[in-house]
Amino acid sequence: MNALQVEQEQSKKRIQTLEARIQALEAQGITSGGPLPDSETAAMRGRGVGQAPPGAEPAVGTEQASVENEEADRKTPAPTEVVEAVTQAEQGHFGEHINIEPGITYSHFSNAALNLSGFLALDAIFLGLISIDEVQADVLTYDLTARMGLTPRIQADVNIPYIFRRSNFRSGGAGGNASGLAERTITEHGLSDVSLGLSYHLFRETASRPDLVINGRVKAPTGESPFGAELVVVPGTQGNLKVPSKLSTGSGVWGASIGASLLKTIDPMVVFGSLTYFRNFKRSFGDLDEAPGDQSGRADLGDAIQYGIGVAYALNDRSSLSMSLTQRFVKHARLLLNPPEGQESAGWQSVVGSQANIGVLNVGATFSLNPKLTLLFNLGAGLTDDASDMVVSVRLPYQF
């Protein structure tokens, strides 16, 4: 009897020793990373250690392993501040919070054209007026974007832009003089087109699939319309140089867009892309053309489709560099002029030269100043004739 009691006491001490060792291993995080050695596992099972009775709650180690298996398909390791900043810049700020993003953008555009007004004699000699026209435009845009997370997957935003425009028109050969030069500068400023947007986080990024966000936007014609601006002849140029009487600050029509954007984190890189379709709606105007007098009718600006691809590379936890390409294809604009009373309409007419191919190469940098404030810098260079020569923008999104 004494021998049996001694053996039971020894077994009890061994069980207590093994339980103490298990607790020590769990404290060091070893059990969560893998199984115990086979000899110790077999010994514990033989003594009933670590086995829960029927109906009991699972052990802590089992519950933790289940959570880990559930999260195994998500991004690992946890994204750094700059990766989060890049993701928010490309996909939006989802979650039930408010984000305010002031920004400033400067763009420069230049174009030169050779104008001939006359005819060829003997298929070799040009008789008439020759002028070289050059246009240089600078646009400074201040805008404020406010975003609100309605749910963890839905975000609404509003963008309010204010534009300052300066256009310089030059003409060589003014007044029939080969060395004659004429110049006129026009400035304009005002509210541009305000837009409202809604984004839905369809799929969250995992190890096997990218982040997917679909978005829609409506644009209101709150800016100054480009239609009805008469062309004014600059004195002393004999008609060689004509400049608009005013500059527009908006499109003049209602518009909408729908698109999708993808993003995949491949540490330390973030790869992203987007595809967007732009729709402009027909609208009536009291004056459409640039000739003196009012010519009423309807305008149908060309729809457009745009794609973008890019990659961002994290330099450290708080800064990254990015490079992207965006290209937009714009269809012809059309005009429907109201005919004089008693005459038939000529129907919709395409505006020559209104189609566009706008390609821009962007180089950017992202700096996470703190968990709530980010600095975004972008430099764009036009790759096609229809694109701006240079675009520089700075944005400061702040999350409340």
Side-chain angles (χ1 to χ4, degrees), residues 45-60:
R45 287 179 177 174
R47 296 170 175 83
V49 178
Q51 298 182 9
E57 294 292 331
V60 175

Side-chain angles (χ1 to χ4, degrees), residues 237-278:
T237 63
Q238 295 185 358
N240 276 16
L241 181 60
K242 297 180 180 179
V243 298
S245 58
K246 63 177 182 178
L247 299 175
S248 66
T249 60
S251 64
V253 301
W254 285 88
S257 66
I258 185 170
S261 60
L262 296 169
L263 182 143
K264 188 71 178 72
T265 302
I266 310 174
D267 195 34
M269 292 192 306
V270 177
V271 181
F272 51 88
S274 63
L275 183 65
T276 308
Y277 176 75
F278 298 88

Side-chain angles (χ1 to χ4, degrees), residues 141-144 159-163 190-195 222:
T141 304
Y142 298 94
D143 71 301
L144 180 66
N159 177 262
I160 305 174
Y162 195 91
I163 285 183
L191 182 68
S192 187
D193 293 342
V194 176
S195 63
T222 53

